[in-house]
Amino acid sequence: MKTKIVLLGPPGSGKGTQGEMLSQELGFVRLSTGDMLREAARNGAPLGLKAKEYMDRGALVPNDLIINLMKEKIKSLGEGTGVIFDGFPRTVEQANALGEQVNIDLALNLDVEDSELLNRLTKRRSCPKCNAVYHLDYNPPKKKNVCDKCGSELYHRDDDKEETVLNRLKVYRENTKPLIEYYEGKGTLKTVIGVGSIDEIYGEVKKTVL
Ligand code: AP5
């Protein structure tokens, strides 16, 4: 079984959704840089406030901030821990830094076209407490605007507004998409078409891991 997994894919491709399902079933740790930065911003931590300036306009947070943050997180993990990296790396510089610390055995790329991504993100609702995600049409919460898992009020992320989503897609194409070739070159890339029901896609995702 693969135990050091990078999730690649554009914003809204389902990295968080699939990564969370995998981590629940396999007992892996999911490290989501987006969730970490949002939490730091909510707590008023200097890193979070600095990161928010970039996140709100859909830009990438500078490499040095992210690389330092992840170095500490990775150091704190036990040797045999299964890890899912969600949203990291996002640049070749970050991928090189990760490669110095961890041997990645699977880079799983979720492939979804832009029109579907826009629909998913503009109708996504997120939980500020447990980071669960919902979709108003495809995956609605049982009670309107309330998280099924922890009962918190759901919110619409600032960077999920259409104009910001379009910028995030541009930033993805310019900075992160080259990582598909990067991991292909290392022989660890697998691509799963990320369109279909969440459970169907999960079935395909699991086959690449086991
Ligand atoms: P981050 O939070 O990582 O955002 P992202 O990569 O843009 O990814 P998303 O969380 O938007 O989408 P996802 O692929 O996880 O999809 P999800 O499962 O939620 O990063 C945010 C920002 O932080 C960045 O823009 C940047 O500024 C900064 N940042 C983070 N990491 C960084 C780094 N390493 N370097 C620099 N900056 C960094 O699904 C989306 C929606 O679709 C949900 O509503 C879901 O319910 C729905 N859905 C999921 N699957 C399906 C399906 N099969 N069918 C229908 N709907 C579906």
Side-chain angles (χ1 to χ4, degrees):
M1 183 164 65
K2 313 288 191 304
T3 59
K4 301 287 186 280
I5 302 167
V6 162
L7 293 182
L8 293 175
S13 55
K15 301 180 297 297
T17 302
Q18 297 295 330
E20 186 56 25
M21 290 167 85
L22 267 184
S23 82
Q24 290 290 329
E25 183 171 347
L26 304 177
F28 285 12
V29 174
R30 180 172 75 96
L31 294 180
S32 158
T33 39
D35 286 348
M36 286 177 209
L37 295 172
R38 279 184 290 278
E39 194 182 333
R42 273 195 295 273
N43 295 338
L47 167 70
L49 297 177
K50 178 101 197 125
K52 196 171 179 331
E53 293 169 23
Y54 296 89
M55 295 167 83
D56 282 352
R57 54 191 157 89
L60 290 184
V61 174
N63 280 324
D64 56 337
L65 293 184
I66 293 287
I67 289 171
N68 288 336
L69 169 74
M70 289 306 277
K71 264 193 185 150
E72 293 309 311
K73 289 279 171 200
I74 294 166
K75 265 193 219 152
S76 69
L77 298 170
E79 182 70 8
T81 312
V83 193
I84 298 164
F85 294 95
D86 172 357
F88 176 85
R90 262 181 153 92
T91 62
V92 170
E93 193 176 334
Q94 292 180 17
N96 286 334
L98 176 62
E100 284 168 18
Q101 269 189 297
V102 180
N103 266 329
I104 296 300
D105 49 16
L106 172 65
L108 174 59
N109 174 40
L110 290 170
D111 189 7
V112 180
E113 70 272 18
D114 283 8
S115 56
E116 171 72 7
L117 298 170
L118 197 61
N119 172 303
R120 286 187 188 181
L121 293 178
T122 50
K123 289 190 175 177
R124 171 166 60 184
R125 295 296 178 268
S126 306
C127 176
K129 194 164 174 212
C130 72
N131 299 313
V133 290
Y134 301 88
H135 187 278
L136 294 180
D137 303 328
Y138 303 140
N139 179 27
K142 291 192 182 84
K143 192 171 159 201
K144 196 177 169 204
N145 238 18
V146 175
C147 179
D148 293 350
K149 293 185 182 151
C150 74
S152 302
E153 190 181 343
L154 302 176
Y155 79 115
H156 191 206
R157 271 170 49 178
D158 286 341
D159 63 347
D160 278 351
K161 301 195 169 72
E162 181 165 344
E163 194 188 324
T164 317
V165 169
L166 292 174
N167 193 41
R168 285 163 64 197
L169 291 173
K170 181 169 172 279
V171 167
Y172 165 77
R173 277 191 292 274
E174 289 169 0
N175 298 276
T176 311
K177 208 172 173 196
L179 292 181
I180 295 176
E181 216 169 284
Y182 177 97
Y183 283 109
E184 199 165 30
K186 294 193 178 296
T188 49
L189 184 80
K190 289 269 192 289
T191 292
V192 165
I193 302 296
V195 183
S197 80
I198 290 173
D199 288 338
E200 274 164 14
I201 296 165
Y202 184 59
E204 294 304 311
V205 164
K206 237 168 66 176
K207 282 187 210 160
T208 68
V209 174
L210 299 177

